[in-house]
Every structure is written in C-alpha cells, then in structure tokens.
Amino acid sequence: MRVVNQPIAKIDGMDIATGKPVYTDDLCNQNALVLKILRSPHAFARIKDIDTAKAEQVTGVECILTYKDVPDVRFTLAGQSYPEPSPYDRLILDEYVRYVGDEVAIIAALDEKTAVKAMKLIKVDYEVLKPVLDFEKATGNPVIVHPEDDVHINFDIGFDRKKNIASICFMGDGDVEEELKKCEVVLEKAYYSQAQIHGMMETYRAFTYLDHNGRLTVVSSTQVPFHVRRIVARALQIPKSKVRVIKPRIGGGFGGKQNVSVEVFPAIVTLKTGKPAKIVYDRKETSSCTSSRHAMRINVRLGADKAGMVKVIDIDALADTGSYGEHAPTVFTLVGLKTLPLYNQAKAVRYRGTAVYTNKVSAGAFRGYGATQGAFAVESAVNELAARLKIDPAEMREKNIIKAGETNPILDGPEEQKPITLKSCTLDRCIQKGKKLINWNEKFPRKVFSDTKVRGVGMAITMQGSGIAGIDTASAVIKLNDDGFYTLLIGSTDMGTGCDTILAQMAAECLDTTMDKIIVHAADTDISPYDTGSYASSTTYVTGNAVIKASEDIKKQIAESGAKLMGVSAIEVEFDGERVQTQDCSRTLTLDEIAQRLALGEGQNQLIGKGSFGGETSPPPFIAGFAEVEVDTETGQVDLIEYVSVVDCGTVINPNLARVQVEGGVVQGIGLALYEAVHYNDKGKMISDTFMQYKVPCRKDIGKITVAFESSYEPTGPFGAKSIGEVVNNTPAPAIVDAVYNAVGVRVRSLPVTPEKVLKGILESE
Amino acid sequence: MKINVTINNQKRELEAAYDEFLVDTLRRYGYLSVKKGCDTGSCGLCTVWVDEKPILSCATLSVRVNGKNITTIEGVQKEAKQFADFLVNEGAEQCGFCSPGFIMTVLAMKRELAHPTEESIVHYLTGNLCRCTGYAGQLRAVKKYLGVV
Amino acid sequence: MISIQDYALPATLEETYEVLTAKKSNTILGGCAFLRIGSKKIGVAVDLAKLNLDFINEKNDSIEIGAMTTFRKIETNPVLIKYFNGILPKAVSHIVGVQLRNSVTAGATIYSRYGFSDFITALLSLDADVVLYKGGQVSLETFLEDGAKKDILVKVIIPKTDRKAVFQTMRNSRSDYAVLNAAVSNKENDWKVVVGARPQRAKIARAASHYLAESQLTKEDIEYAAELAANELTFGSNIRGSREYREAICKVLVKRAIMEVLA
Ligand SMILES: Cc1cc2nc3c(=O)[nH]c(=O)nc-3n(C[C@H](O)[C@H](O)[C@H](O)COP(=O)(O)OP(=O)(O)OC[C@H]3O[C@@H](n4cnc5c(N)ncnc54)[C@H](O)[C@@H]3O)c2cc1C
Ligand code: FES
Ligand code: FES
C-alpha cells in the first residue's frame, strides 16, 4: 500500500502545533455576550424562590435566565443515536438542583466581570434536601434524586425512578450457579474504580449566533455535531432545520465532549436576545459540573479448575451515574460485553448491572466506556485466581482466551446473544510478544533490588469494539473539483486523534492519488454528510468504510465520464488515479482535463461520490498490557518502570498516529491506576476539581512506554483495520495492580493504588 | 492602565485593567496562540516568554510587564516550525491545544540547557501537561531536535 | 477571579510600607501564582519590582536571598548549588515546572508560612533568619511560630557555613504537593531535623536533633532518632494522606535523610 499503513504526518499537525487560531474560542466574535452560570452550593435542594431583580440592574447585563424561563421539556445531554437509551431527565434549568454545581441561573453580560458581579447579586432561597452521596446506599433510599414524574424513557432500560435506579442490565449464557458447583476453585472479590475526570486541555466551550437567515449557529468543541443539533433543537423546542452546528479544531475530548454539556446555555441566550453569546467553562466547572467516568463497584465470581481453565465468570456491577443518567445504560453494558467474550472456554457467563442516581457530579462517556472498569475488575480477578492456583497469569490467559474463528454468544452482533464468529484476533501473539518485550519469564513475579526496593511485573488483556453494531452509521462524500483534486466531506470529528488524516489516507489509497490532492472538510451539520460522531471507537472502522465506498463510487464515475468524453464505452477504459485511458492505450484523458471539462459547459456534470456504512458487527481490537513497577517497601511508593502494550487493531492505517494513540491511552490508564483520586467533602462537593488537587500524570510519572503491534486482518474493516481509540485505556490499572501484588504481596482492589494503600498492606502483612 | 511593551519585536501600547492577567490581555489583542488550560498555574499551556524567560502568563499581571519584552509563538514561527517538524513527524501533536505553550518551553530549554540529557529535558518540561499524547512522542521529538541520544 | 482597584510601584521600602498599611485590603504582589487563585478583593496591589529585592548575595559569613527572588533563580544559582549540599535548589526543583518557578518568589512563600512548602522545610534546617521591614531580623523558626503583623518580608539571611543538608520528600504524583517533606542538616555535630507538610508547617524536631548530637550515630541510633521525630511532631490528614501514613513515612524520610548526611 502506498498511503495506507504509512507514518504520514497529520494534515493539520503543523498548524495546530504552532499556534494557529483554529479552536472555538479563537474564532468567537469579540462582541459576543459572555455567560456565567450560578451554581448550586447544595448537593440537593429545591429552589423556593429566586430573585434576579438586583442583578438585572447591573449595567452591562443583557439577560438572566432561571428555571422559569426555559422550556418544560426534558432531554438528555448524552450524544447518542436517536432514540437515545439515556433517560430524558434534564431541563436546561430545573427547580431542583441535584449536585453541588448544578445550574441555577444563566447570566449573560457584555463581559465576564459584569457577569460575575451580577451573579453575586442573585438571591436564591433554597429548600435544602438531604442528599444521597453514597452510591452503595442509593437503591431504595428514601431520598429520591429525581422526584419529578415527567422523566421520559425511549425504551425499557430498567429505569425505576423511585428506587434511584437509572438502568438495569443483564446478559449471559449458560447456567452460572450449576456450573459453579462443578468448579474446583471459586474466587469472589469486589473491585472499586473511581470517577476519573477527563481533563482534556481545552475546557468545554461553545458560542452561538443567528445567521443571515435567522438560524441558530452553534460553534462548539464537540465530538458529536449531529447529536448537538438534535439535542439543542429539542431542549429549545425549535425545529432541527433551524440549527446549524460547526465543529472547529478540538482540544481533546476523551468522551467528555460526547455530552452536550454547554451548548444549550449560549443557545437559549442567543434565541432570547438575538445576540451572539459564548460560554467558556473554567477548569473547576469542567471537572465538577459536566461528567466523569462512572465510578463502579464490580463484584466478580470466577469458577475454574485447578489447571486454571476458567469455567464461569459472573459479574455484578453497581455504577454511580450521579445526578443525571447520561450514558448510564450503555456504559455499564460494556462492563460485561467487553470482558466476558475474552474467556471463551467458559461454560457459563453472566453480567448483571445496576446504575444508580446519587447527588454527585453526573457520569458519562469516558474513553473505554465501561470496558475500562470491567477490565480492571475481571482482569484483577483472573490475576488473583492465577496467584491462588500458582499459575503464571500470562500462561493462564494463553489457555483461556478466545481465538480467531471461534464463536461467542456475547460478542457484539446485530441480534443480541446470537453466537458471532470472531473474524480477526491475534491476542495470543500479543501476549507472546509482550512477554518478550518486558522480559516476563525472567522478571516474573519479582526481583529484589535492595532492602527497600522490589520490582514486580503484572499483566492484563482487553478488548473493545469498533463502532456500535447496528447503530453507528456514517456517510462520506467525495467531490471532484475542477482542477483534479478532491474534497472529502465527513461528519466525524477529529479531536486530535488524526482521523481527518487517516480518512484522507484511505481516500488517497483508493483513488490512487496523493495526500495533497485530498482536502478534508469536517464537520458542519449544514454541509457534512451524517455521522453519529467520533465515539465508541467508530471513526476508523465505520467512517473509514464509508470513505472507501465513496471513493469507489467516484472512481467509477470518473472512468465513466472520461470514457464518455473520449466517446468510448466505460468498459473500454481504466482510471489509474491520474488519467483515464483506453485499454489499448490509444486514447488518454488526464484527471485535470476531465475535471475541467466536466465543470464547463461541455460536461455539465459535477462528480460527487458518496458512501454510507453501518457496521453489522463491531470487530474487537485486542491488547495485552504488561507493567513493571518498583515498590519502595518503606513508603509504599510505586514507580512505574516500564509499560508494554501489544496491540491488535487490525491493519495499522498510520503507524505513528496509532502509536501515539496507544501511548496517550496508556498514560490515562496509568493516571487511573496510580494518581487520579477523586475526593468529595462531606457536604457532597467535589474538591478535586483543579489540576492542583486532581493529578493527571505528569512527565515524570510514567516511566518507559513501549508499544508494539501484532496486526490481524479484519475482513470487514477498511483495509483490514479495526479501532484503536479506546481499547488503549483498559489494561494499565489491572496490570499495575498485579505488578504491585507480585512485588510486595499487597492486593489493592480500590483505585487508585496510592502509596498509602500499599504501605498499609505491607504493614498489615508483616 | 496603559502599558508599553515589545511583543514579538514590535512595540505596542496596550490597555489593561489592573487585575487582568497577561494571558487574557494577549488574547484580547489577537495573540490567540496563547491558551489557558487551568485556573491554578498547574498546566503550562499559557507559557510565553517575558524577557526571554518562560513564565506563566495566567499568573502574571499585565501591568507588571510594562516596559518588558514579550514573546509568543507567533513571534518565533520559524524556530517553532523547525521543532514542530520533529513533533509532527512523530505524530506527537494530538489535539494541539498544549502545543504552543509546550513549544515555547522547548525553545527556552534549548537556549538554557547547555548539555541536555533525557533527565534534564524531562525535568525542564514537567510543568507542561498534556492529556493526549502520553509524553513519550514529545520526548522522542525533543531528543531528535536537540540531537540527544 | 481576584479584583484589583489600584496598582502601586513604590520606589522605597518606606513608601511601600505606607501604601501597604494604608488599607486592610492593600496587598503585596509576590509572583502572584497563589494570589490569583480565589477571589480576593485587593485595594492597592503593591509591586515590589522597583525595590531591588531580586538577589542572591554571597557575603563573608552569610548568604542573603531577596524577597523577590524566584525559585528558578534559587534552583540555578551557583552559590546555592555549592553550599549546604545544594539543599535549597534541590528542594525547590520539585515544584511543578520551570514556568511556575520563574514566577513564584521566596518572600511570598516564607511570609505566607505555607504548611506544604518545600523551600521552608529546607531553609529551616539552615539556621536562617528573616528580615522584615518593621519587624526587623528574627529567626525563621520564631517567624514560623509567631508570624508577623502586616509587614514586608525583605530578605532571608543564611549563615554561610559548611553545614551539610539533605532534603527528602514523598509525593504521589511527582508534580503534586508533598505528602511529607523532611530536611536534616549537620554541622560539627549540631544536628537539625525538620519535617514539613505534616500537613502543618515545618517544624524542628528538637528531641530527635538533640538525640543525634549525643548519640554514636549507629544504625539503631538513627532509627531511634527518626522514631523520636515521628513521636514528638504532630501530623494531620488531608486528601494527600492520612495522619497515620504521614507518621509512618516521617520515620523513613528522616532516617534516609540522616543516612544521606552521614554518607
Ligand atoms: C500550582 C502550584 C503548585 C505548587 N506546588 C508547590 C509545591 O509542590 N511545593 C511548594 O513548596 N510550593 C508549591 N507551590 C507554592 C509556590 O511555591 C509559592 O510558595 C506560592 O505560589 C507563593 O508564591 P508567590 O510568589 O506566587 O506568592 P503570591 O501569590 O504573589 O503571594 C502570596 C502571599 O504572600 C504575600 N507576599 C508576597 N510577597 C511578600 C513579601 N515580600 N512580604 C510580605 N508578604 C508578601 C502576598 O501578599 C500574598 O498574600 C505551588 C504553587 C502553585 C500555584
Ligand atoms: S493556564 Fe494553566 S498554568 Fe497557566
Ligand atoms: S496534544 Fe492534546 S493536550 Fe497535548
């Protein structure tokens, strides 16, 4: 392949690296009204009265909106395909405030200072209610987080408002209890993973204005422009045709920007005032007033024989969805969906999950989307089982894992729980290669370096999907311009992931042309073809397939048009990317010539190729991850020495970009494993809401990161590719936890693994 | 208050309130490369040079740079591109939001560290957070740029 | 968002003091890294930039550090790298990044008596004095105990000796605040054991320091001294660590620091 599988530089790389003004706030009109949000100081309260009179008198204040001023129609902020599985449990502003930070009033003023000044003058009389802060006590608690009776559900998700249950999930195969009775060993443990914060560097932001046709234009740092259009239209009760959403460059998303967290606020202000408006969240709001990963308690029961064959996996999860139910049903489905199929020799598997409301910051989509939490729990349990049986955990994986060609009832298919065949998988090779790279056989389980330093190794495996089967769809349009170059129109959202580049590579490969001949445009809902957006690891696979179809379509049209211009039939010619030529080489037309003649009076035919794709399956990428840590036995400090990820993402479309995806994902996983602790005070206020109190890993925290690929070929994928964006987050937590165990015998089941927990374990075992 | 500064070798007279920080003044005057990533001086995105030294523009009151020499990445484009070439060739700029601040720190480091090593590079750059790349690709790029093996 | 009504750039300390004390809300600007966080309403922001307080001077028998000296200067200053085993540069080198250290100042840090401070812990092991415009010269130890009425911290004076000093710190993430820090120094058997970020402000562990001076410095003595330090000092809990954990690692950091001083 000429273009695909090459380490091509990102098409926007130089410009974004060197500071070109291409992000949302760089593009905003300086005269836009500036928004501030008055937020609840209480974890749960009803607004009895709200007095904005004084605040409205401040010079420069344009408008102040409270719950009395917003449409009385509930919606969800979850950017998912319609009909969304997430409950419609939100209003733009509500009479009830459900967590510390919930929105109470929107203040729009000429500048930030004025808005802040006015905000302080708003008087709110709250009826303070007792909150539910402990998610393990939420089910059936007398406190009901959503007392209102107009929450709307699009289809049955097990929603039970009065019990604080946002959603219930069940999946399984075989008789778990019967099979467990036959097992020689049964292990049961509970694991806790925290509500990790996305911490994308560009905080949430959007601006809005009315265009020359009186339509609402929303420019937003979002992963899901088409969902933003639909959700904004519903929230504001205006027709979708009146909304246009433009996505500029995005400063990171990681799933956070799959929630429509801020767009409705400037939108309603613009509709009310007719004026441009912008909102830029500060870091605290970004951390504590949007969404995070779902905190979970995951109970795992494993049944096995003494040789280490896993016979039963039974998972019972409780997820904290916080004050609103965005992504609750879907995130925690993945806890089972992306763990159970890995151990394909099991006789019975089951996953049960409940997502509950609490009066805390809402949870939502976060890279890995439940698979991360599931991997932490199940892989930790498998490691514990291996330790109990005194079997090398890597060898135990090799015996149990799913292989290409096998079928599995849980593997994501169009008809749920119908056995699906795994078409591509090199997980076995990933494990072997990883062992070599980390020097597993020599290092496992530990090496004592000195009186106080011990090194240990640990490993874990994982899978994800590539788009949501039967739901995610994307279209691509390719236009031949009149100088023989192409415009590729897509609706996916490059948030730094490089998908604009990767999709252009695919188009260039199909069209036998070079990258400079492909101009990429994304995303503008008025112009771009529909795309569900960039999430669920869908872009390379789903949009990629659409791009290939569009490329083939236009290729065919070019050949046909060329033939027509030469006066021969289409079957007599070939298009090689530069020219259309008859097979006997007697006649030739260059692409430039064809393009120009078509655009002129003579041709009167603008060539536009299109392709749409929706995956019937969601082929899983796989990773085997290996950690080596050094533990200080006197302080409990854990230093990560090396992390090895060996990845099967099918064909690697762009080795450089794929590698950095892995490195970035691994470091987020390291953060989850070691540093990113979430703290609330006893009033229910999140206090780890700045980069000063919530520590995303810094450069000194990560050790050496090694990435290798063991490519399979996915027959349904574009050029054999699968996804890579999310799977990369999942292995560090369980691998690091086991490495610490192997070093010092301390098993941490509640993330993050802080030195304090490790030292406590060491002292207790002494 | 009026402040007289040299920005990117250009003399300018700016107007800034006493409590405005340099990052906001610079953005208001169109130096949009300068980004803000936090409210606590923790991320390094807002790094610019005052009198050739990398500082946090989010923690520097604009009135205090009166008479000083300010450099943003707009003013060192040629050099920035030389380094960015290495970065882009590693694929180590993802969302790019941290890049201007990061590159300003890298260029300052190049001037300051006579004999850079991997360790001293990592130490110098620790104040620049990046949530996308995992730092490894950035380090490869910096080492190639500085010729550190 | 802080607010500032007026800005002053006085030319003398006298004038500075006048402006500063004229109104309760008048406030000195250090590096502003901390001032900017929060929502303080400042009357007059007093800038010390014209007072030439940005210096590190080596005198015959002392080293003086001006209040407006940044941590980056301290980190890279040849004199400070040479003396006391380079403890001051080492202690500040952990603090976030170069950009922040190019901004934050010695004077602000000491005047504010931050509990978490790495700089103060190291400085306290060096017999340092602080010089206040009104309050005059007092020992750092006294200043940390008593604080000062609204005043200007002008400089720090450190006796120039061949005191050997070692800094130890325990952090979760490397650029986080310390869970605990410790400094141990020795000059001719005059030992100083200091522990900070307890999370309360740094304190000299008297009993431990005395014990070391009297002891044979055997392995057991060192461990006992570390034990003493952990017992005589108080510890607290915050999001970075519990009281119990701090107490436990206090012994370790102090022990390691003593051994490094002896090495
Ligand atoms: C993100 C972040 C992380 C940090 N991490 C650490 C860490 O890990 N370890 C550590 O030790 N420190 C840390 N610090 C603190 C830092 O080292 C400084 O101690 C702190 O920022 C104060 O210094 P400043 O110059 O910014 O003071 P400012 O914010 O300017 O001032 C602080 C206070 O001191 C007053 N003041 C300033 N100068 C004087 C003077 N000469 N006389 C009297 N009063 C004065 C001011 O009026 C103000 O009340 C961190 C700071 C930040 C922002
Ligand atoms: S914006 Fe984060 S350090 Fe300045
Ligand atoms: S590239 Fe996105 S934060 Fe660094």
Side-chain angles (χ1 to χ4, degrees):
Chain A
M1 284 178 283
R2 294 171 308 107
V3 196
V4 160
N5 197 228
Q6 300 302 319
I8 286 171
K10 260 167 49 175
I11 51 182
D12 56 347
M14 185 52 88
D15 288 324
I16 59 173
T18 54
K20 295 292 172 304
V22 290
Y23 301 87
T24 302
D25 192 40
D26 303 342
L27 303 173
C28 182
N29 178 334
Q30 289 226 358
N31 299 319
L33 296 172
V34 176
L35 266 57
K36 283 279 146 190
I37 308 252
L38 176 68
R39 299 183 176 281
S40 167
H42 305 294
F44 198 19
R46 194 181 65 83
I47 300 171
K48 287 202 288 197
D49 192 26
I50 180 160
D51 178 3
T52 59
K54 246 185 156 170
E56 270 158 22
Q57 274 158 26
V58 175
T59 320
V61 169
E62 191 72 26
C63 88
I64 297 181
L65 304 174
T66 71
Y67 73 92
K68 295 169 191 159
D69 307 306
V70 305
D72 193 18
V73 176
R74 291 198 183 265
F75 57 95
T76 176
L77 293 180
Q80 302 177 298
S81 296
Y82 182 80
E84 304 96 328
S86 300
Y88 289 6
D89 54 11
R90 291 247 188 197
L91 295 171
I92 298 176
L93 297 168
D94 203 338
E95 184 184 354
Y96 283 91
V97 282
R98 297 184 179 79
Y99 71 96
V100 177
D102 211 348
E103 294 87 14
V104 172
I106 306 168
I107 301 100
L110 295 183
D111 57 39
E112 191 180 351
K113 248 188 199 171
T114 310
V116 171
K117 188 172 162 198
M119 185 167 79
K120 289 182 180 153
L121 295 172
I122 299 176
K123 287 222 166 59
V124 192
D125 187 6
Y126 293 101
E127 177 191 345
V128 178
L129 304 169
K130 190 174 175 251
V132 196
L133 297 174
D134 181 349
F135 78 110
E136 296 185 84
K137 293 185 184 140
T139 318
N141 197 296
V143 177
I144 297 171
V145 178
H146 282 272
E148 71 280 9
D149 54 17
D150 58 346
V151 174
H152 172 80
I153 307 295
N154 281 321
F155 47 85
D156 184 17
I157 52 168
F159 179 82
D160 189 343
R161 184 177 60 80
K162 289 185 179 155
K163 284 193 180 147
N164 288 325
I165 292 176
S167 180
I168 281 180
C169 166
F170 180 87
M171 68 181 77
D173 186 59
D175 188 334
V176 164
E177 302 301 339
E178 269 312 302
E179 290 297 333
L180 271 178
K181 284 182 199 153
K182 298 183 210 156
C183 289
E184 291 170 333
V185 245
V186 176
L187 177 133
E188 179 171 358
K189 298 287 174 198
Y191 302 89
Y192 289 82
S193 71
Q194 77 276 36
Q196 188 179 23
I197 291 172
H198 301 89
M200 69 294 278
M201 283 297 152
E202 183 198 31
T203 59
Y204 293 86
R205 54 196 61 196
F207 68 90
T208 50
Y209 58 89
L210 297 178
D211 71 5
H212 55 281
N213 294 320
R215 293 168 72 234
L216 178 71
T217 305
V218 182
V219 181
S220 171
S221 178
T222 179
Q223 294 174 231
V224 286
F226 287 92
H227 297 328
V228 171
R229 180 173 72 182
R230 190 186 63 250
I231 290 168
V232 166
R234 178 177 168 96
L236 297 173
Q237 292 292 294
I238 56 175
K240 275 185 262 182
S241 61
K242 289 281 182 202
V243 184
R244 172 185 184 186
V245 180
I246 299 171
K247 173 224 73 118
R249 295 291 97 190
I250 310 176
F254 314 120
K257 292 176 183 171
Q258 195 192 339
N259 256 23
V260 186
S261 293
V262 297
E263 291 82 345
V264 293
F265 303 124
I268 190 169
V269 167
T270 291
L271 279 194
K272 297 253 179 195
T273 63
K275 296 185 179 174
K278 83 161 171 178
I279 191 157
V280 176
Y281 269 11
D282 63 20
R283 180 54 60 189
K284 279 190 178 166
E285 290 175 301
T286 292
S287 303
S288 65
C289 307
T290 59
S291 66
S292 65
R293 195 184 281 290
H294 286 80
M296 293 191 193
R297 179 196 69 201
I298 304 177
N299 208 64
V300 184
R301 276 202 297 174
L302 291 181
D305 65 16
K306 284 191 178 142
M309 291 306 294
V310 177
K311 305 286 187 192
V312 181
I313 308 178
D314 185 21
I315 308 171
D316 193 343
L318 183 71
D320 184 354
T321 191
S323 42
Y324 299 96
E326 278 102 21
H327 300 275
T330 36
V331 161
F332 84 130
T333 303
L334 262 65
V335 173
L337 203 58
K338 305 301 177 198
T339 52
L340 296 176
L342 281 169
Y343 296 91
N344 202 34
Q345 318 311 320
K347 299 263 184 280
V349 294
R350 179 167 67 185
Y351 169 60
R352 291 170 292 179
T354 309
V356 294
Y357 286 114
T358 59
N359 292 106
K360 286 157 77 187
V361 178
S362 178
F366 193 136
R367 195 181 193 181
Y369 208 79
T372 310
Q373 293 95 317
F376 164 59
V378 173
E379 290 302 294
S380 290
V382 171
N383 285 330
E384 290 205 48
L385 181 66
R388 187 184 290 180
L389 295 172
K390 300 202 166 51
I391 298 177
D392 179 322
E395 278 168 24
M396 195 161 120
R397 293 326 191 289
E398 285 172 325
K399 277 191 210 169
N400 283 284
I401 53 170
I402 190 165
K403 307 232 161 53
E406 291 181 8
T407 57
N408 181 285
I410 308 289
L411 263 185
D412 205 354
E415 290 144 71
E416 265 176 42
Q417 288 166 36
K418 171 183 145 209
I420 293 281
T421 307
L422 181 65
K423 298 202 178 89
S424 64
C425 173
T426 57
L427 184 55
D428 50 343
R429 273 157 52 200
C430 292
I431 295 173
Q432 282 157 23
K433 189 174 224 167
K435 280 168 76 173
K436 275 208 197 92
L437 287 170
I438 200 126
N439 204 356
W440 179 266
N441 289 343
E442 186 182 323
K443 290 177 177 166
F444 179 80
R446 84 180 60 80
K447 287 241 174 264
V448 177
F449 270 65
S450 72
D451 287 355
T452 58
K453 304 273 175 173
V454 187
R455 289 191 181 183
V457 289
M459 62 90 62
I461 56 172
T462 189
M463 62 180 272
Q464 198 88 28
S466 302
I468 308 172
I471 291 179
D472 281 349
T473 55
S475 298
V477 170
I478 300 180
K479 187 158 70 99
L480 176 64
N481 299 308
D482 54 3
D483 258 331
F485 66 100
Y486 305 92
T487 306
L488 169 62
L489 299 156
I490 44 178
S492 56
T493 49
D494 192 332
M495 53 195 131
T497 45
C499 65
D500 285 0
T501 306
I502 282 163
L503 296 170
Q505 280 179 265
M506 294 187 195
E509 185 76 45
C510 291
L511 293 166
D512 295 307
T513 189
T514 46
M515 288 291 282
D516 59 312
K517 291 270 201 269
I518 312 267
I519 311 299
V520 182
H521 180 278
D524 176 339
T525 55
D526 273 6
I527 297 163
S528 313
Y530 180 77
D531 194 300
T532 40
S534 288
Y535 59 87
S537 298
S538 61
T539 303
T540 301
Y541 182 73
V542 180
T543 314
N545 271 319
V547 167
I548 291 177
K549 283 188 174 175
S551 304
E552 264 146 25
D553 182 24
I554 198 160
K555 223 171 145 177
K556 195 163 143 255
Q557 294 182 42
I558 292 168
E560 284 167 3
S561 303
K564 201 169 157 200
L565 288 172
M566 291 188 282
V568 298
S569 79
I571 45 164
E572 287 175 68
V573 300
E574 255 172 29
F575 173 50
D576 67 1
E578 280 174 27
R579 61 187 69 76
V580 176
Q581 203 165 34
T582 53
Q583 269 149 7
D584 60 6
C585 299
S586 62
R587 268 180 279 181
T588 298
L589 267 182
T590 65
L591 181 62
D592 286 16
E593 230 176 303
I594 295 172
Q596 275 160 17
R597 283 169 64 181
L598 286 175
L600 295 175
E602 180 192 0
Q604 293 188 34
N605 187 16
Q606 164 85 62
L607 297 191
I608 293 179
K610 65 183 174 53
S612 295
F613 180 83
E616 282 172 23
T617 60
S618 176
F622 296 92
I623 289 188
F626 295 78
E628 182 181 9
V629 301
E630 181 172 284
V631 183
D632 184 322
T633 54
E634 289 185 321
T635 63
Q637 178 130 48
V638 177
D639 277 337
L640 187 62
I641 304 296
E642 182 171 5
Y643 199 87
V644 173
S645 280
V646 188
V647 185
D648 165 20
C649 59
T651 301
V652 180
I653 304 289
N654 184 322
N656 276 2
L657 300 187
R659 179 181 187 184
V660 177
Q661 276 294 315
V662 183
E663 289 166 345
V666 164
V667 169
Q668 283 180 349
I670 293 170
L672 181 79
L674 293 173
Y675 306 113
E676 298 183 26
V678 180
H679 295 279
Y680 279 83
N681 67 15
D682 54 7
K683 300 241 161 38
K685 180 182 165 17
M686 185 202 277
I687 49 177
S688 48
D689 57 358
T690 62
F691 282 152
M692 202 148 123
Q693 308 298 3
Y694 182 83
K695 298 312 285 184
V696 304
C698 74
R699 241 164 259 274
K700 286 181 184 162
D701 290 330
I702 54 176
K704 180 179 171 205
I705 294 172
T706 303
V707 176
F709 294 93
E710 270 300 327
S711 299
S712 62
Y713 186 90
E714 170 55 40
T716 67
F719 300 97
K722 300 186 277 192
S723 81
I724 192 162
E726 293 188 276
V727 68
V728 294
N729 264 36
N730 302 343
T731 60
I736 289 170
V737 162
D738 205 42
V740 170
Y741 172 80
N742 286 329
V744 292
V746 175
R747 175 75 61 187
V748 179
R749 297 192 186 89
S750 163
L751 296 177
V753 184
T754 58
E756 173 156 6
K757 291 177 194 168
V758 176
L759 186 67
K760 193 158 173 257
I762 292 174
L763 294 177
E764 274 166 9
S765 67
E766 266 170 12
Chain B
M1 171 175 152
K2 283 208 181 354
I3 50 173
N4 288 293
V5 287
T6 306
I7 307 184
N8 301 334
N9 293 321
Q10 233 184 357
K11 284 208 173 2
R12 292 200 65 165
E13 187 185 88
L14 313 180
E15 184 65 45
Y18 295 129
D19 46 19
E20 186 169 47
F21 285 89
L22 187 56
V23 58
D24 298 316
T25 311
L26 287 173
R27 286 191 61 84
R28 216 159 35 76
Y29 280 92
Y31 301 94
L32 294 170
S33 72
V34 188
K35 300 286 189 273
K36 206 196 275 188
C38 71
D39 323 308
T40 49
S42 313
C43 73
L45 260 66
C46 62
T47 305
V48 300
W49 300 347
V50 172
D51 293 344
E52 308 277 306
K53 273 198 320 235
I55 54 99
L56 298 177
S57 63
C58 71
T60 305
L61 286 168
S62 300
V63 290
R64 298 179 99 186
V65 299
N66 197 7
K68 302 204 168 176
N69 205 327
I70 295 161
T71 313
T72 70
I73 202 169
E74 283 95 345
V76 285
Q77 279 289 299
K78 199 169 147 218
E79 216 185 326
K81 282 190 172 137
Q82 281 165 1
F83 169 63
D85 243 339
F86 289 91
L87 199 63
V88 170
N89 282 326
E90 289 294 332
E93 81 307 348
Q94 274 196 31
C95 78
F97 207 70
C98 68
S99 291
F102 172 65
I103 294 182
M104 289 309 282
T105 315
V106 169
L107 301 185
M109 172 175 72
K110 188 175 181 223
R111 287 161 171 69
E112 210 174 320
L113 297 187
H115 307 288
T117 60
E118 179 165 327
E119 199 188 335
S120 65
I121 290 169
V122 169
H123 181 68
Y124 199 99
L125 297 175
T126 297
N128 290 89
L129 294 181
C130 172
R131 187 61 156 166
C132 297
T133 65
Y135 305 116
Q138 290 183 344
L139 183 61
R140 288 192 293 276
V142 172
K143 282 167 74 179
K144 284 183 189 164
Y145 172 64
L146 298 177
V148 176
V149 278
Chain C
M1 222 163 51
I2 62 162
S3 71
I4 298 176
Q5 259 161 25
D6 204 354
Y7 170 73
L9 196 58
T12 63
L13 275 167
E14 196 179 355
E15 204 188 315
T16 307
Y17 187 74
E18 245 168 59
V19 183
L20 178 66
T21 48
K23 240 173 94 188
K24 203 163 162 240
S25 62
N26 295 359
T27 305
I28 295 181
L29 304 175
C32 286
F34 254 40
L35 269 178
R36 70 168 289 243
I37 304 170
S39 51
K40 194 169 166 141
K41 284 198 173 64
I42 295 175
V44 184
V46 189
D47 194 338
L48 310 184
K50 276 202 178 159
L51 303 180
N52 299 321
L53 295 179
D54 175 6
F55 60 79
I56 297 168
N57 291 335
E58 183 176 5
K59 304 247 162 129
N60 277 343
D61 48 12
S62 68
I63 298 169
E64 299 190 352
I65 304 175
M68 290 301 280
T69 309
T70 67
F71 278 4
R72 182 66 181 159
K73 280 232 171 107
I74 291 172
E75 184 185 3
T76 53
N77 181 271
V79 177
L80 294 180
I81 291 173
K82 188 169 122 200
Y83 282 93
F84 322 117
N85 204 27
I87 189 174
L88 294 177
K90 282 181 197 156
V92 298
S93 74
H94 299 277
I95 300 170
V96 188
V98 166
Q99 309 89 324
L100 184 87
R101 297 198 294 278
N102 266 331
S103 303
V104 301
T105 58
T109 301
I110 299 168
Y111 188 83
S112 304
R113 304 186 293 154
Y114 298 120
F116 54 75
S117 177
D118 298 305
F119 182 60
I120 292 177
T121 297
L123 202 58
L124 191 55
S125 74
L126 302 179
D127 290 320
D129 283 350
V130 298
V131 176
L132 298 155
Y133 173 69
K134 270 285 150 181
Q137 184 164 345
V138 288
S139 78
L140 174 63
E141 192 182 5
T142 311
F143 178 75
L144 289 177
E145 292 279 324
D146 303 345
K149 277 215 290 269
K150 203 165 186 181
D151 206 338
I152 309 155
L153 196 140
V154 181
K155 63 182 173 186
V156 197
I157 303 176
I158 310 166
K160 197 171 85 180
T161 61
D162 56 359
R163 187 171 273 283
K164 190 174 174 199
V166 165
F167 182 75
Q168 284 276 344
T169 167
M170 166 69 208
R171 295 170 132 84
N172 290 327
S173 162
R174 290 297 187 282
S175 68
D176 198 357
Y177 290 99
V179 181
L180 196 82
N181 55 36
V184 173
S185 73
N186 178 32
K187 186 193 81 177
E188 292 155 15
N189 216 28
D190 170 21
W191 287 84
K192 288 249 152 56
V193 176
V194 182
V195 183
R198 302 175 290 119
Q200 302 95 322
R201 66 178 74 101
K203 232 180 143 118
I204 299 179
R206 288 269 164 230
S209 305
H210 284 146
Y211 180 82
L212 283 175
E214 311 282 298
S215 83
Q216 302 300 309
L217 299 172
T218 62
K219 192 165 167 275
E220 289 71 33
D221 286 334
I222 293 168
E223 273 172 10
Y224 185 67
E227 195 87 33
L228 277 180
N231 288 338
E232 71 184 290
L233 297 172
T234 54
F235 300 89
S237 301
N238 64 8
I239 62 172
R240 291 184 173 74
S242 69
R243 184 174 64 75
E244 293 76 14
Y245 181 63
R246 286 193 161 94
E247 205 173 305
I249 59 170
C250 171
K251 291 174 210 161
V252 182
L253 297 195
V254 169
K255 176 184 78 180
R256 288 181 183 178
I258 298 169
M259 302 212 305
E260 207 180 319
V261 170
L262 290 172

